[in-house]
Amino acid sequence: MTMLQDPSVKYRPFPQIHLPDRQWPSRTIDKAPRWLSTDLRDGNQSLIDPMGAEKKNRFFDLLLKVGLKEIEVGFPSAGATEFDFIQGLIREGRIPDDVMIQVLTQSRRDLIEKSFESLEGARAATVHLYNAVSPAWRNIVFNLDRAGVKALAIEGVSILREQAERRPGTDWRFEYSPETFSTAELDFSLEVCEAVLDVLEPTPEKPVILNLPATVEAASANIYADQIEWMCRHLSRRGSVIISVHPHNDRGTGVAAAELAVMAGADRVEGCLFGNGERTGNVDLVTLALNLYTQGVSPGLDFSDIETVVKTVEYCNQLPVHPRHPYAGDLVFTAFSGSHQDAIKKGFEAQARRNDQFWDVPYLPIDPADLGGRYEAVIRVNSQSGKGGVAWVLQQDKGLKLPKAMQANFSRVVQQLADATSRELATADIWEAFQCAYHLTPGQPLELIGFEETGASRADQQRIFVGELKVDGRTMTIEGRGNGLISSCLAALESGCNLALDIVDYQEHAIGAGGDAQAAAYVQCRTRDGGLVFGVGLDADVATASVRAILSAANAARAQL
């Protein structure tokens, strides 16, 4: 067999940026950047079936609902669908006063003019012009030298000014992208950007947006941050420029690149909801925004109904959101592992005890309720689950707080069921197994009909239990005495049914509050031969719940005989 050449020899490492005094590693993000959604343009052009008018309108409404204030609505020169959609937004008055729409154009006169035509009548709009500047595009795609690429940029932004001056009724803003910035020489990117600024003459009151995209993510995120910091330092009009970044995700580190770029000085981030876009996609605005929440920073975007956002995006893009997608996937707040479930359960209990404003639950970096999630969906049960997960499901669905020993006992029952069925167990499956395991269903060998508890003579202060039971379908009365309800009930069972049980543990609690509250009682008993059995009793009356718990354990003891 001939050995294949090592593929690594085909590639060259990306050069480091000479920035020995870089500042971004010691910075933190303490406020949200400006956000621009490119879903309707960059995201749309990457779809197998681009959105039609109905889907684009639905997506635009979603972006407004989420709180996006800057939206790239299309590429007007791409066709009638794009052009008509943009004009429709303007004619129908659907653009709020605090929202800036934006369109993209290449640096060609006919395309720039078409872009301005699409925005006729707009109160305000940004026209975004781009041309590629990196060596591969200069040499392979366009066959232009540096001077030719720079001239193309200058010509394009000159036409921007010309077209804007012909339409003084609109508040025009400009954005320029040295496309493929991430793989271009920094000195040349700076030279082109300075030439663009010379033409557009920005001011602090009316700044120009310079977008420095990672058109192709070709290096680790720290390199991109170095590039952004270098540009921020060397631009001559930094106070009149908004630095925007547009990271793609070719290396799978688009989110990290965006975060580090903001630390390096970027003011604005461009991306798509859930990271749609060419190849591996644009940076994911949802993940970026919710990452800020986990650091105590408000992102200024509203994802409190994440399920609706997911469904709308999936409908419009015809692309699924992965079940493990950060924050938004169906399974990201779900634990199947027993140790994870136990930690989460204890975390919620500790959170309730603290009753403060700070979120601190193991395995959950963000409160699912902040995204419209339900706590009962956090823990789900399969063959990998442990006692904590099973107990959590019963507590959330039925209000039962099983003692630790009983949690372990019942988890074995659930484990056997999960192994037998080879599937996730629904809440109904677990409840049915619980009722069966602790003899709570009708038709048990020992069933309570009713009982009375009375005091005996004052000398011994004992109590007398008189119970009416159905034993194997036959009604009978049993009687016993003890120093309380439970001991007298156990004595009655031993004398009347020949069942000797000793209490090892007894616990009770209320389920709910007010007039509809119920009582839950749990017993752990030792049988005559030293075995352990468990019982559960549920009733509106706490005394009756206790008796039912003892009978539940008695049925378990009889089943072992």
Side-chain angles (χ1 to χ4, degrees):
M1 180 181 292
T2 303
M3 295 294 291
L4 294 175
Q5 184 184 35
D6 180 0
S8 67
V9 301
K10 297 190 295 184
Y11 306 99
R12 289 166 289 182
F14 200 89
Q16 298 290 308
I17 309 301
H18 183 67
L19 198 67
D21 60 340
R22 57 182 59 83
Q23 300 299 305
W24 63 261
S26 61
R27 295 175 183 158
T28 57
I29 301 174
D30 56 10
K31 66 176 182 178
R34 288 169 52 171
W35 306 108
L36 172 83
S37 161
T38 62
D39 290 276
L40 297 173
R41 196 277 304 170
D42 201 348
N44 186 52
Q45 74 183 35
S46 68
L47 297 176
I48 299 170
D49 297 309
M51 290 181 277
E54 185 269 333
K55 288 182 177 178
K56 292 200 79 168
N57 278 291
R58 183 179 293 201
F59 211 125
F60 182 76
D61 289 339
L62 174 67
L63 295 173
L64 295 182
K65 181 180 178 182
V66 165
L68 269 299
K69 301 302 182 185
E70 297 179 69
I71 302 172
E72 195 163 74
V73 290
F75 201 139
S77 58
T81 299
E82 296 283 284
F83 188 96
D84 293 344
F85 168 69
I86 297 164
Q87 265 292 290
L89 294 177
I90 297 167
R91 285 196 311 268
E92 296 164 16
R94 296 186 54 217
I95 306 165
D97 288 344
D98 62 345
V99 171
M100 177 71 78
I101 62 168
Q102 175 174 305
V103 299
L104 181 73
T105 178
Q106 293 168 309
S107 187
R108 276 176 37 191
R109 174 173 285 277
D110 60 325
L111 303 184
I112 296 171
E113 291 177 348
K114 189 76 170 178
S115 299
F116 275 88
E117 289 171 16
S118 75
L119 294 167
E120 288 283 357
R123 176 193 56 80
T126 298
V127 182
H128 178 189
L129 180 138
Y130 74 97
N131 66 292
V133 299
S134 67
W137 269 257
R138 295 198 307 262
N139 301 330
I140 300 170
V141 181
F142 299 117
N143 195 26
L144 289 173
D145 59 11
R146 282 190 173 197
V149 168
K150 179 178 172 181
L152 188 62
I154 292 172
E155 180 185 12
V157 293
S158 298
I159 299 171
L160 289 186
R161 284 202 65 163
E162 167 202 308
Q163 291 294 310
E165 288 166 0
R166 291 181 181 179
R167 300 169 173 86
T170 298
D171 179 11
W172 296 107
R173 302 299 172 105
F174 303 120
E175 176 173 346
Y176 173 71
S177 290
E179 195 196 7
T180 66
F181 163 82
S182 57
T183 52
E185 310 93 334
L186 281 172
D187 65 325
F188 182 54
S189 294
L190 179 65
E191 181 182 339
V192 174
C193 287
E194 291 286 5
V196 164
L197 296 177
D198 287 342
V199 174
L200 296 178
E201 299 182 302
T203 65
E205 295 73 32
K206 201 164 185 176
V208 161
I209 300 167
L210 286 180
N211 179 42
L212 307 176
T215 307
V216 177
E217 190 179 37
S220 53
N222 63 299
I223 299 292
Y224 188 50
D226 281 348
Q227 293 172 319
I228 299 302
E229 183 169 335
W230 191 96
M231 287 291 288
C232 288
R233 290 190 191 187
H234 288 83
L235 280 167
S236 63
R237 301 171 177 84
R238 183 65 182 94
S240 299
V241 169
I242 302 298
I243 295 295
S244 190
V245 292
H246 185 119
H248 277 254
N249 199 42
D250 300 270
R251 289 169 54 90
T253 55
V255 167
E259 291 179 331
L260 298 190
V262 171
M263 292 162 61
D267 308 297
R268 181 178 185 250
V269 176
E270 306 182 3
C272 292
L273 303 185
F274 308 119
N276 182 36
E278 294 284 9
R279 306 182 309 281
T280 56
N282 292 291
V283 72
D284 175 10
L285 295 187
V286 177
T287 300
L288 280 170
L290 295 176
N291 279 354
L292 287 180
Y293 264 139
T294 70
Q295 303 307 304
V297 177
S298 174
L301 298 179
D302 180 5
F303 292 113
S304 60
D305 184 7
I306 196 70
E307 185 177 352
T308 295
V309 176
V310 169
K311 287 180 178 178
T312 303
V313 173
E314 287 183 330
Y315 168 75
C316 293
N317 287 346
Q318 294 298 292
L319 292 172
V321 173
H322 195 280
R324 297 292 182 191
H325 192 102
Y327 303 111
D330 283 345
L331 298 178
V332 295
F333 293 120
T334 299
F336 291 104
S337 162
S339 61
H340 288 214
Q341 292 174 340
D342 184 61
I344 291 171
K345 175 178 176 290
K346 290 175 179 175
F348 276 119
E349 291 168 350
Q351 190 84 11
R353 287 194 301 270
R354 285 198 317 274
N355 193 30
D356 60 25
Q357 64 177 334
F358 298 108
W359 178 253
D360 187 17
V361 174
Y363 294 114
L364 298 180
I366 195 170
D367 186 346
D370 292 337
L371 306 181
R374 299 180 304 278
Y375 291 136
E376 57 266 29
V378 170
I379 293 176
R380 288 158 60 175
V381 177
N382 62 15
S383 61
Q384 302 300 305
S385 304
K387 64 181 186 298
V390 174
W392 170 263
V393 171
L394 285 174
Q395 182 174 338
Q396 294 301 301
D397 190 59
K398 300 298 181 182
L400 301 181
K401 302 174 184 178
L402 305 189
K404 280 191 175 181
M406 194 170 191
Q407 291 179 27
N409 179 263
F410 183 54
S411 70
R412 289 191 287 271
V413 174
V414 173
Q415 180 75 42
Q416 292 171 359
L417 178 60
D419 287 338
T421 58
S422 299
R423 62 173 173 83
E424 180 187 353
L425 299 181
T427 302
D429 297 323
I430 295 169
W431 178 238
E432 182 179 349
F434 185 81
Q435 290 179 296
C436 182
Y438 300 107
H439 307 276
L440 302 180
T441 55
Q444 296 298 323
L446 300 175
E447 287 190 304
L448 179 66
I449 298 174
F451 74 94
E452 289 183 355
E453 182 197 14
T454 61
S457 65
R458 291 186 179 181
D460 57 16
Q461 295 296 311
Q462 287 199 323
R463 312 292 293 177
I464 298 175
F465 174 90
V466 179
E468 186 178 6
L469 306 182
K470 185 177 286 187
V471 180
D472 297 324
R474 180 172 57 88
T475 301
M476 66 178 294
T477 300
I478 61 174
E479 182 177 319
R481 64 175 60 208
N483 57 13
L485 173 64
I486 292 176
S487 61
S488 59
C489 180
L490 289 173
L493 279 173
E494 184 171 8
S495 64
C497 302
N498 194 29
L499 278 173
L501 298 174
D502 292 324
I503 294 291
V504 175
D505 183 55
Y506 172 86
Q507 296 184 38
E508 64 183 41
H509 66 81
I511 303 175
D516 295 330
Q518 272 205 319
Y522 311 94
V523 293
Q524 181 182 3
C525 298
R526 184 172 287 108
T527 62
R528 184 179 282 124
D529 60 3
L532 292 175
V533 291
F534 295 84
V536 182
L538 305 173
D539 199 90
D541 174 63
V542 66
T544 305
S546 301
V547 173
R548 291 190 184 281
I550 294 168
L551 288 178
S552 169
N555 277 310
R558 282 192 52 154
Q560 292 180 3
L561 295 177

